[in-house]
Amino acid sequence: MGSHDRVSSPTFTLTNEYDAGKLRLFHYDFYRLSEAGIMADEIAEAANDPQVVVVVEWGDIVDNVLPAERLTVRLEATGENDRRLTFRYPKKLSYLIEKDS
């Protein structure tokens, strides 16, 4: 996205925001939350802003406020040092995934 901001996990702060020119990226990490509470309202508002890209880690607790049409990336441990990435998205968002020729 072209941001020059230093990226870090928002595990303890819940949210990090990055400036990326015309867009902003909101990065949420809900690993430590047992319920969404007010964060559900914040995500719903951010997800409806066309100038914001929303990234959610451990997003199961806010699944009901996320757009139905979205790119979902799942990481699965397949070994001690191996991970499998699975991408789910509707056809209209396929431009977000760059495919090798």
Side-chain angles (χ1 to χ4, degrees), residues 28-98:
Y28 298 92
D29 185 336
F30 296 139
Y31 178 72
R32 297 181 173 278
L33 289 186
S34 58
E35 63 180 62
I38 196 167
M39 296 307 296
D41 294 334
E42 184 177 323
I43 285 184
E45 185 177 329
N48 287 313
D49 185 335
Q51 300 304 112
V52 173
V53 174
V54 175
V55 175
V56 181
E57 294 182 62
W58 303 96
D60 292 343
I61 65 169
V62 292
D63 191 58
N64 63 324
V65 298
L66 296 173
E69 292 187 331
R70 64 182 184 253
L71 168 64
T72 301
V73 181
R74 297 236 181 240
L75 283 83
E76 176 186 1
T78 58
E80 188 174 325
N81 296 310
D82 298 315
R83 304 291 182 267
R84 176 181 321 166
L85 295 172
T86 305
F87 298 86
R88 284 190 339 208
Y89 51 91
K91 187 174 183 172
K92 75 185 234 177
L93 296 180
S94 64
Y95 69 93
L96 296 170
I97 304 298
E98 186 174 314

